[in-house]
């Protein structure tokens, strides 16, 4: 991120945070997904979700056919070649 006045993201979070826009809650879930038009079948991108946003983010990815898996953050093991 660019260091632009007025664009200070604040201190780095001590734990992973939810990917929902504007949410700063601790992440509890990993939503593994891929866009089949862009990614190979084995590739996984990830979004993180708090309890409040897990369903909303899952539905957003699911209706597009992108959602592949939802796993608790404590249980997540990224497949080789994946990225967040």
């Amino acid at each position: 991120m660019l260091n632009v006045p007025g664009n200070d993201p604040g201190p780095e979070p001590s734990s992973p945070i939810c990917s929902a826009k504007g949410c700063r809650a601790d992440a509890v879930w990993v939503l593994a997904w891929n866009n089949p038009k862009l990614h190979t079948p084995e590739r996984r991108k990830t979004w993180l979700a708090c309890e409040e946003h897990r369903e909303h983010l899952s539905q957003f990815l699911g209706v597009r056919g992108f959602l592949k898996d939802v796993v608790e953050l404590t249980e997540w093991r990224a497949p080789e070649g994946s990225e967040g």
Side-chain angles (χ1 to χ4, degrees):
M1 178 175 285
L2 296 174
N3 188 9
V4 178
N7 195 21
D8 182 11
E12 286 292 316
S14 59
S15 61
I17 61 167
C18 181
S19 298
K21 185 176 181 178
C23 185
R24 303 298 293 170
D26 288 344
V28 180
W29 299 95
V30 176
L31 285 65
W33 63 278
N34 82 3
N35 180 340
K37 292 182 180 179
L38 302 175
H39 307 126
T40 58
E42 65 279 354
R43 183 168 178 198
R44 294 293 181 267
K45 305 279 284 180
T46 56
W47 282 356
L48 302 177
C50 64
E51 287 291 348
E52 181 181 350
H53 292 111
R54 180 182 64 91
E55 187 64 30
H56 171 75
L57 293 174
S58 293
Q59 287 179 356
F60 179 90
L61 293 168
V63 299
R64 290 159 177 80
F66 294 175
L67 187 63
K68 302 302 178 191
D69 203 4
V70 178
V71 180
E72 286 191 40
L73 180 59
T74 57
E75 302 295 320
W76 174 249
R77 301 291 177 259
E80 194 171 313
S82 295
E83 60 185 73

